[in-house]
Amino acid sequence: MKKPPNNHRHHIRWPALVAAAVKLLLIPVYRSTDFEVHRHWLALTHSLPLSQWYSDTTSPWTLDYPPFFAYFEKFLSLFASRVDPTITHLHNGLNYASPLTILFQRLSVVISDVVLVYSVFRLGKNGNFSKLERFLMWVLVIWSPGLFIVDHMHFQYNGFLLGWLLLSISCLEEGRDLIGGFVFAVLLCFKHLFAVAAPVYFVYLFRHYCRGGLVKGFGRLVLMGSAVLAVFAAAYGPFLYYGQIQVVLRRMFPFGRGLCHAYWAPNFWVFYIILDKFLSFFLAKLGFDIQAPKASFTGGLVGDSSPFAVLPTITPLITFITVLLAISPCLVKAWRNPQPRMVSRWVSYAYTCGFLFGWHVHEKASLHFVIPLSATALKSTEDAKHYFYLSIVSCYSLFPLLFEAQEYPIKVVFLLLHAVLMFFGFSSRFPGTSAATASTALKGTDNNKLETHAFHIGWFGKSYLFGLLVVEIWGQFLHPIVFGDRFPFLPLMMISIYCALGMMYSWFWQLKQITLTH
């Protein structure tokens, strides 16, 4: 008997086309300094020999991504130089933003999102998802408001990079461990900040792929190691040949930057910094000789690390150890019971730990764990509720990136539409069943697919989301009326603190799910 044709590919086309249409409409909107950063990288890789890519200082926006991303910029520059030669001119192109330049760079992000579309298609196809579940996953990822804001307004290539991550996860869930590990190695050579999940990959692949006895296991370990080494050799080999490897590593790991980014990412260190400032103020009032911090806690460019007035200074090593300790419960689970169906949850948890406790974390890094969690959001009502809150908090924490008045309605509409789509989507996925129906369904039904609880927003979620509304109304409307131009940092600090509370709750919730899941 013939199998019915697989129409999944046709079903994903229209969500992808709708997303592409919205992205094209966003071409004229606000763009950040990252636009000039990537334009300069086009010029740098096009105009200079490879041996000078990481040592050039023509612009303050020096190349600090791994080699594969530099090769990617080199590839794009071949087309950019034909669209407008000034784009790829090292000196004349500085701060150049002609209409053709804007169009080319915006389209390069839109087209590179094909990787994301393909990866989420594979993730939905490989899992045991219904038609509704696949559609919801596509909506959560392809129509992610965070990606619209960060990539297609602020300007970056996160969709392209997250596509590689989802592709790797889909391979692991499919049981194709060698390809999954290979793809993850490729991702690390595009952007090294994804290395936070490397311990999870190492433990999982060692226990799941390198099994089957000493000889077979060792052979698989050698095969996996060879594949990963081949990727890194292709990326870093040319720079090693030219004696530039130390220059590359210094650019990629500028630990002289402050603990926090220029806009405080809503993580654990927000509370640590505020506690230090409160203690210094309180002790100074009591008459203690407290030395005020000499440097800012933030900094987008390389500078001196920020000292603290009262609390111990946080160093990159401390954040590294903290992140590793936070991830350890996940590593223990992966070692004891390496299950493919848990990979997306473990990887998301690792990136949550990196976001909360890492060094100089960018606010955009919340996408690293929100996007992979889209697959787990469909497993239960509790997962759906968690994702509903977390994705709203993540999107709202990105609002300060778009600070011009004309973009305000756009980001608000994106968030509201996303919340409405999630609410109705999850309500359709988890409508709830009666006890009698549930009892009948138990016969011959996989318990993992049985869902007897309807999706709803509890009092805790409603209270927290109402608090977000209060914070936004205060920052946008009441703060200027009450304080005028004074304390301009206060609205941003309130957003960071409030969103950090939501992120910490998400971390605890994910930790509980990981430790309780068998």
Side-chain angles (χ1 to χ4, degrees):
M1 186 175 176
K2 259 189 178 180
K3 288 184 179 180
N6 189 334
N7 293 320
H8 300 167
R9 189 175 289 107
H10 301 290
H11 294 154
I12 199 174
R13 283 180 185 171
W14 78 264
L17 290 174
V18 170
V22 173
K23 295 167 187 176
L24 294 176
L25 292 174
L26 295 175
I27 286 177
V29 301
Y30 163 82
R31 57 189 183 275
S32 71
T33 53
D34 281 341
F35 182 88
E36 168 59 16
V37 169
H38 288 280
R39 189 224 51 84
H40 178 66
W41 291 358
L42 290 174
L44 185 152
T45 54
H46 185 80
S47 305
L48 297 176
L50 181 144
S51 59
Q52 298 178 30
W53 286 0
Y54 286 90
S55 58
D56 178 73
T57 55
T58 305
S59 165
W61 311 116
T62 51
L63 182 60
D64 57 6
Y65 274 31
F68 273 1
F69 201 92
Y71 301 154
F72 174 66
E73 295 280 8
K74 173 68 175 179
F75 172 75
L76 293 179
S77 73
L78 300 178
F79 303 96
S81 61
R82 287 166 172 77
V83 171
D84 185 347
T86 310
I87 299 176
T88 55
H89 196 286
L90 190 61
H91 299 284
N92 296 343
L94 292 174
N95 299 309
Y96 185 66
S98 68
L100 275 178
T101 306
I102 296 170
L103 180 63
F104 174 81
Q105 289 195 235
R106 292 289 195 192
L107 287 178
S108 70
V109 181
V110 175
I111 295 171
S112 67
D113 278 350
V114 170
V115 179
L116 179 69
V117 174
Y118 174 71
S119 65
V120 73
F121 162 73
R122 276 185 57 93
L123 199 60
K125 183 186 71 171
N126 295 336
N128 188 19
F129 295 112
S130 67
K131 182 178 178 181
L132 173 63
E133 290 171 336
R134 283 194 299 271
F135 174 76
L136 283 176
M137 189 189 305
W138 298 337
V139 167
L140 294 177
V141 177
I142 299 175
W143 292 356
S144 167
L147 285 177
F148 282 131
I149 289 173
V150 175
D151 282 6
H152 305 283
M153 297 177 74
H154 185 268
F155 194 87
Q156 281 192 353
Y157 291 88
N158 289 283
F160 170 72
L161 297 169
L162 287 167
W164 286 97
L165 177 63
L166 295 184
L167 185 61
S168 172
I169 292 174
S170 71
C171 290
L172 295 186
E173 291 189 349
E174 193 180 342
R176 304 173 70 182
D177 289 350
L178 182 60
I179 298 177
F182 175 85
V183 173
F184 183 70
V186 170
L187 173 62
L188 296 187
C189 292
F190 270 110
K191 192 170 184 179
H192 52 301
L193 299 182
F194 283 94
V196 176
V200 175
Y201 270 82
F202 177 81
V203 172
Y204 174 79
L205 291 173
F206 184 78
R207 292 288 290 164
H208 189 265
Y209 178 70
C210 303
R211 59 185 178 181
L214 183 61
V215 176
K216 185 178 179 180
F218 181 74
R220 287 189 166 189
L221 179 64
V222 170
L223 184 60
M224 178 66 73
S226 301
V228 172
L229 286 176
V231 172
F232 279 83
Y236 294 92
F239 299 94
L240 184 63
Y241 175 79
Y242 286 111
Q244 292 289 304
I245 196 68
Q246 289 186 347
V247 178
V248 174
L249 294 178
R250 278 199 301 267
R251 283 285 179 83
M252 287 171 52
F253 300 98
F255 290 121
R257 292 179 175 178
L259 173 62
C260 296
H261 190 235
Y263 157 60
W264 292 1
N267 62 13
F268 171 79
W269 302 119
V270 169
F271 304 115
Y272 192 85
I273 292 170
I274 291 175
L275 178 61
D276 181 81
K277 289 185 177 293
F278 173 78
L279 289 175
S280 63
F281 175 79
F282 180 72
L283 293 175
K285 285 291 185 182
L286 293 178
F288 289 90
D289 184 19
I290 301 296
Q291 179 93 27
K294 297 178 181 178
S296 168
F297 288 101
T298 66
L301 297 176
V302 178
D304 294 331
S305 297
S306 305
F308 289 81
V310 179
L311 298 177
T313 298
I314 301 300
T315 64
L317 179 60
I318 290 175
T319 60
F320 174 79
I321 294 173
T322 306
V323 170
L324 201 57
L325 288 174
I327 296 176
S328 58
C330 174
L331 301 181
V332 171
K333 281 287 184 177
W335 179 270
R336 289 180 175 175
N337 190 13
Q339 303 177 59
R341 66 181 179 86
M342 291 294 294
V343 169
S344 58
R345 194 183 295 275
W346 290 336
V347 169
S348 299
Y349 174 75
Y351 286 128
T352 304
C353 296
F355 181 86
L356 286 174
F357 306 110
W359 176 266
H360 197 77
V361 175
H362 289 232
E363 60 285 342
K364 286 91 71 175
S366 63
L367 294 171
H368 293 183
F369 54 88
V370 172
I371 296 298
L373 272 175
S374 60
T376 66
L378 305 171
K379 293 183 178 179
S380 70
T381 50
E382 289 302 312
D383 284 301
K385 283 169 61 177
H386 170 251
Y387 189 88
F388 183 82
Y389 306 139
L390 179 61
S391 60
I392 290 176
V393 173
S394 171
C395 181
Y396 181 69
S397 72
L398 300 173
F399 270 28
L401 292 177
L402 308 177
F403 50 83
E404 295 184 354
Q406 59 267 31
E407 273 76 45
Y408 185 76
I410 300 176
K411 61 187 182 183
V412 171
V413 168
F414 276 154
L415 179 54
L416 291 178
L417 283 176
H418 181 62
V420 170
L421 284 171
M422 282 196 299
F423 180 80
F424 285 106
F426 289 143
S427 297
S428 299
R429 166 63 183 88
F430 303 109
T433 57
S434 66
T437 307
S439 177
T440 304
L442 278 172
K443 299 175 182 179
T445 304
D446 182 2
N447 290 335
N448 291 327
K449 300 298 282 185
L450 179 64
E451 181 59 57
T452 60
H453 303 290
F455 174 79
H456 67 280
I457 305 173
W459 67 268
F460 175 82
K462 290 177 181 176
S463 302
Y464 184 83
L465 295 178
F466 179 75
L468 279 184
L469 180 62
V470 172
V471 169
E472 181 62 13
I473 291 174
W474 169 263
Q476 286 296 319
F477 306 106
L478 299 182
H479 181 86
I481 295 173
V482 176
F483 293 111
D485 295 334
R486 293 176 299 161
F487 312 116
F489 61 88
L490 193 56
L492 287 178
M493 184 180 293
M494 289 177 63
I495 292 176
S496 289
I497 294 172
Y498 200 76
C499 290
L501 289 171
M503 295 294 186
M504 290 297 295
Y505 167 78
S506 171
W507 176 64
F508 280 116
W509 190 90
Q510 291 183 62
L511 178 61
K512 183 185 74 171
Q513 293 300 112
I514 286 172
T515 53
L516 294 181
T517 303
H518 298 290

